[in-house]
Amino acid sequence: MVLTSAKRRMLSGNAEEEEGRDDTWSALPTEILNMITSRLILEDNVRASAVCKSWLRSAVSVRVSDRPPWLMYFPKAGDMYEFFDPSSLETSILELPELNGCLVRYSNDGWLLMQNPRSDSLFFFNPFTRDLIDLPTLEDTPFTIAFSSAPTSGNCWLFTGRPLDVGQAEISTLLVGMETEWTTELYETELPFFFENQNKIVFSNDRFYCLSSIDWIAAFDPFLRSWEILNVNPPGCPYNHYHTDKGWRKFLAEHEGEVIAVFSRNGIRNPHVYRLDMEHSRWRNTKNLEGMAIFASSLSSQTRSNVAGQMRGNVCLANPGYFRSRRLPWSADADDVDNGCLEQWPYSFIWIDAPKNF
């Protein structure tokens, strides 16, 4: 086919026009491009990096992923404590004689709530700064105890509860730094509420949410001093509450104002994840975590929105000696058999926020 000079000019013009259109994407000023990519969630940031080389440079330069919590291991004896970073798969070891012989009760905002069983005293401890804050003694401290935020925040509430009778619950609270004694009150309950022997408490939207041993959900407002068992049926988890299968473990976490419940068989199999739908007074079964990562332990659990790698969209469980994460949904394989590794699991490991410069 012979092209006339007019056709050549027309085709050449179209090619230049198309090339010009492509150039507009890569020719955006760096400041504007960075402004665009910095507002994208991690998933869209990765997609944008495939547009062209300049978009790749911009996306990588502003890409921010949440740092996952570290897994802290409490030894049977001695002062050497291991910290496992799931993002780098590296382990750090710290000598912490302040914790010798003490029990960890909860973790939040990089702080540990510890109990000395010899004196029954409670104290906060930051393993990275070695800061220690003593707390007023609470007689016969129940195992179920939690705190809302860092004790240095100026708005840290401590909360603990225990059942006294079928229709009563005893709630104790302390506003750290503002109160010198615990406040203990009795509350009437229409339904029996037996606190879990493992911590199933999270602080969300100014209230402490508690999951009972038969999966009722209750809320306590420390500001209004109100206790309420919510009119929400337990999640439809496939086990019998009254003939407890000891292979099932439960975890409670908070994510951007939502309360999350996780049920896992033998610690590493078939996790069932539920979101508390307050508007419709029900638990919603969640098949897709939509990028959220849940870091679950029997003492306290955490969530992240923008973690990188295989943790994204996973339930990450604390297990002795190794780190496990599984994407939802998954099918149980033969190599998922526990082999007795959970014997010491519940109280030996806890997730804790590590500082960025550590």
Side-chain angles (χ1 to χ4, degrees):
M1 181 176 64
V2 179
L3 295 178
T4 63
S5 58
K7 286 184 178 180
R8 288 194 187 95
R9 287 195 300 271
M10 181 180 67
L11 291 176
S12 175
N14 288 342
E16 290 174 0
E17 184 179 348
E18 290 297 325
E19 186 178 351
R21 288 176 184 170
D22 291 340
D23 286 344
T24 58
W25 292 101
S26 58
L28 282 174
T30 303
E31 294 79 6
I32 295 178
L33 190 53
N34 289 348
M35 191 181 300
I36 294 171
T37 53
S38 65
R39 283 167 167 74
L40 301 177
I41 64 173
L42 183 61
E43 224 168 74
D44 291 337
N45 177 292
V46 173
R47 293 192 183 101
S49 66
V51 172
C52 61
K53 289 182 178 179
S54 61
W55 280 61
L56 172 62
R57 286 192 296 270
S58 174
V60 171
S61 69
V62 302
R63 185 175 298 165
V64 177
S65 59
D66 288 342
R67 192 178 191 190
W70 286 12
L71 192 58
M72 181 179 180
Y73 169 55
F74 285 75
K76 286 184 178 180
D79 300 331
M80 307 306 291
Y81 294 78
E82 294 184 19
F83 294 82
F84 176 75
D85 180 358
S87 59
S88 65
L89 304 181
E90 295 180 353
T91 299
S92 301
I93 298 178
L94 295 180
E95 186 175 6
L96 304 172
E98 299 93 332
L99 303 185
N100 187 277
C102 296
L103 305 174
V104 62
R105 306 298 294 274
Y106 203 78
S107 170
N108 198 1
D109 283 351
W111 287 81
L112 301 171
L113 178 60
M114 305 296 301
Q115 181 184 17
N116 187 332
R118 297 181 293 272
S119 60
D120 207 31
S121 60
L122 294 168
F123 63 94
F124 283 114
F125 185 72
N126 187 316
F128 305 105
T129 64
R130 307 287 288 273
D131 291 333
L132 189 151
I133 301 174
D134 288 316
L135 294 167
T137 300
L138 177 66
E139 289 188 16
D140 301 323
T141 305
F143 193 92
T144 303
I145 185 168
F147 61 99
S148 61
S149 57
T152 54
S153 66
N155 192 30
C156 173
W157 283 97
L158 273 161
F159 166 89
T160 183
R162 71 180 117 208
L164 288 183
D165 203 346
V166 173
Q168 284 188 325
E170 182 183 83
I171 305 296
S172 298
T173 61
L174 177 74
L175 182 56
V176 179
M178 302 294 291
E179 298 175 347
T180 57
E181 294 183 355
W182 289 80
T183 300
T184 300
E185 297 172 301
L186 299 182
Y187 292 86
E188 301 295 326
T189 62
E190 296 180 1
L191 297 170
F193 193 92
F194 299 101
F195 288 88
E196 268 279 1
N197 60 354
Q198 300 171 21
N199 272 329
K200 301 295 174 287
I201 309 174
V202 293
F203 188 76
S204 176
N205 297 318
D206 296 329
R207 298 206 291 178
F208 287 97
Y209 288 85
C210 313
L211 194 67
S212 79
S213 56
I214 57 172
D215 301 343
W216 294 115
I217 187 77
F220 179 79
D221 189 323
F223 302 96
L224 302 178
R225 313 299 305 171
S226 63
W227 166 258
E228 177 188 11
I229 299 179
L230 305 182
N231 185 25
V232 177
N233 288 329
C237 189
Y239 73 93
N240 190 321
H241 299 290
Y242 301 101
H243 298 87
T244 304
D245 181 346
K246 294 183 179 179
W248 283 95
R249 297 192 183 277
K250 298 180 285 187
F251 312 93
L252 206 62
E254 184 272 343
H255 183 71
E256 298 179 355
E258 275 192 316
V259 176
I260 308 289
V262 179
F263 294 78
S264 177
R265 183 175 176 82
N266 290 329
I268 58 174
R269 281 187 162 194
N270 303 326
H272 299 262
V273 179
Y274 301 87
R275 298 174 187 261
L276 181 59
D277 185 344
M278 294 294 294
E279 182 179 353
H280 299 95
S281 299
R282 66 186 181 94
W283 290 97
R284 290 189 291 108
N285 195 350
T286 300
K287 298 294 185 182
N288 186 347
L289 293 184
E290 300 173 349
M292 175 179 64
I294 302 175
F295 298 87
S297 78
S298 293
L299 294 168
S300 63
S301 302
Q302 302 185 32
T303 65
R304 294 289 190 274
S305 294
N306 290 321
V307 293
Q310 65 171 352
M311 293 174 290
R312 187 171 174 80
N314 287 357
V315 176
C316 305
L317 300 166
N319 277 326
Y322 57 87
F323 172 76
R324 291 278 183 137
S325 65
R326 287 290 188 266
R327 186 169 299 280
L328 287 178
W330 84 65
S331 60
D333 297 323
D335 62 355
D336 281 335
V337 178
D338 179 32
N339 293 326
C341 288
L342 294 175
E343 182 182 353
Q344 302 169 34
W345 170 35
Y347 316 118
S348 296
F349 285 78
I350 194 167
W351 294 103
I352 182 170
D353 294 306
K356 293 181 179 179
N357 58 350
F358 191 82

